[in-house]
Amino acid sequence: MTKRRTDGLSKELIVKAAKELLDDGGETALTFRALTTHLTTGYGAIYHHVANKSDLLAAATDDVIASVMTGVVVDAEPREALRTVALGLFDAIDAHPWVGAQLSREPWRPALLAVYERIGGLLDALGVPERALFDAAGALVNYVLGVAGQNAANARVLTLGEADRSAFLAKVAAQWADLDPERYPFVHKASAQLREHDDRDQFLAGVDIFLAGIATLR
Amino acid sequence: MTKRRTDGLSKELIVKAAKELLDDGGETALTFRALTTHLTTGYGAIYHHVANKSDLLAAATDDVIASVMTGVVVDAEPREALRTVALGLFDAIDAHPWVGAQLSREPWRPALLAVYERIGGLLDALGVPERALFDAAGALVNYVLGVAGQNAANARVLTLGEADRSAFLAKVAAQWADLDPERYPFVHKASAQLREHDDRDQFLAGVDIFLAGIATLR
DNA sequence: ACCTGAACACCGTTCAAGT
DNA sequence: ACCTGAACACCGTTCAAGT
């Protein structure tokens, strides 16, 4: 009954609106009701362009990953390029935490395909022998997505309730420190480092451990 | 109006029922309605023992991980024990795919704490220098959970629609093979290995790459 | 203290009807 | 072909009322 859209709707427009809702309010903010308001349209119009919510989330994820994959410069030598690509993914998922949960859902989607291609290609350029290339790429991709997803989960918790990162870390670190050193020697000892650590640095340290391990495959 | 429970309800009983629903029907099968039927009780009775659905999922996850951590034998030398623990987690998440999505949600929960303690302790026993221990443990835990989660996502897809694993892998491998070798040289080449690979073996190969990388930190 | 179940405020998705 | 919005079949959660 209200006025009809004059400009045509499209999947791109819907995905763009979905990304805005997700970035602003997290995964729970993406509802078809919010979308219809945002786009001043009806449910059917949206369903005419996307199959369902899952399809919409996947398309939004593809979008974010694709822009990382095309945006990152890789004219550096393979080792440095790998670190750059990994950091690019880390930062993108940090900026769009909802991507983290999505990536592990449908590994055959364009998003992950591009990631495998880029990382596999760079490992090849690094001189990893062909027989080990598939396993090495799989392991590295999974590490990158695993950490990034975990980090995104933390980011989600922070935006929801907690005041700020350092206060949150201090709280968890205090819990770790309070644990019985007899039963939890490692976690107890690690509490100080937990409080002070930088997620990005630790992520990169892991990438380096990986690359060092891969170097032994030669 | 129907007859009242005579035996008392408890959080343990609720968590047990939740695990059964999750194992049988996946994440979507866990609803409070299904729980009330399963336990022949009302909503309020459940909410009297658990705070909300998220709390219930976390408790069920803690349960699964705890039984892996106590069940796995670790009198082997550290390197072998690490592989055993990693495989135990992999198999548990494979058997309970819903755990995969949960683990990355609240890293300060008992479940992840126990994992960090075990893996950190074994890395310590392996001789990783103290300054590198925190980063190494973080990286390895994230790798293990990342792969396991990804694997669980695949398992979820398989139980939902696809006939069987090899048919599914063959389909995705065919898609990879069809890609333009100019644009996707790595993925195109890797399609044969994708079709034939064993998830468990590839997972262990990744753990070994990691341990090799960690060995260089000495 | 523990349990019951109607009710509330949401969801995703469908579909007859419009242009 | 594309869009509208009422309606349907679900959710998680609350809460007055019971024992």
Side-chain angles (χ1 to χ4, degrees), chain B residues 1 41-42 45 49:
Chain B
M1 236 359 80
T41 183
H49 293 279

Side-chain angles (χ1 to χ4, degrees), chain B residues 116-137:
Chain B
Y116 269 107
E117 181 59 41
R118 191 55 146 288
I119 287 186
L122 286 170
L123 286 173
D124 194 12
L126 198 67
V128 175
E130 189 136 11
R131 64 180 160 70
L133 202 53
F134 184 68
D135 286 349

